[in-house]
Amino acid sequence: MATIIIQTESKSTTKLMLDLAKKLGEKTSVLSKDIEEDLIFGSMIEKAKTNKLVSKESILN
């Protein structure tokens, strides 16, 4: 199974994409704004990971 995320700017495009997916027999769902922000934030964290240890002092500075 694969999952794709498509961001659209208009409600009409969103409806068209959802209708197409349903006609193709695929499951669809629309993410809430909170979930969308969580996914973006998680992606940013993953990209910024260095796996280096840092001191408490350097973080507080």
Side-chain angles (χ1 to χ4, degrees):
M1 177 170 69
T3 301
I4 62 171
I5 297 175
I6 300 171
Q7 291 180 304
T8 64
E9 295 295 326
S10 71
K11 289 183 180 184
S12 62
T13 302
T14 300
K15 183 179 179 338
L16 178 65
M17 298 297 288
L18 289 170
D19 289 345
L20 176 60
K22 287 176 186 174
K23 283 184 181 181
L24 293 172
E26 303 298 333
K27 289 191 275 182
T28 63
S29 61
V30 178
L31 302 179
S32 69
K33 195 69 175 168
D34 289 339
I35 298 297
E36 179 186 344
E37 289 172 356
D38 289 348
L39 288 172
I40 293 169
F41 188 57
S43 176
M44 291 169 60
I45 290 171
E46 285 298 316
K47 287 178 185 175
K49 269 188 180 179
T50 62
N51 291 328
K52 293 180 182 176
L53 295 177
V54 295
S55 68
K56 180 179 176 181
E57 291 78 24
S58 68
I59 292 172
L60 293 176
N61 286 334

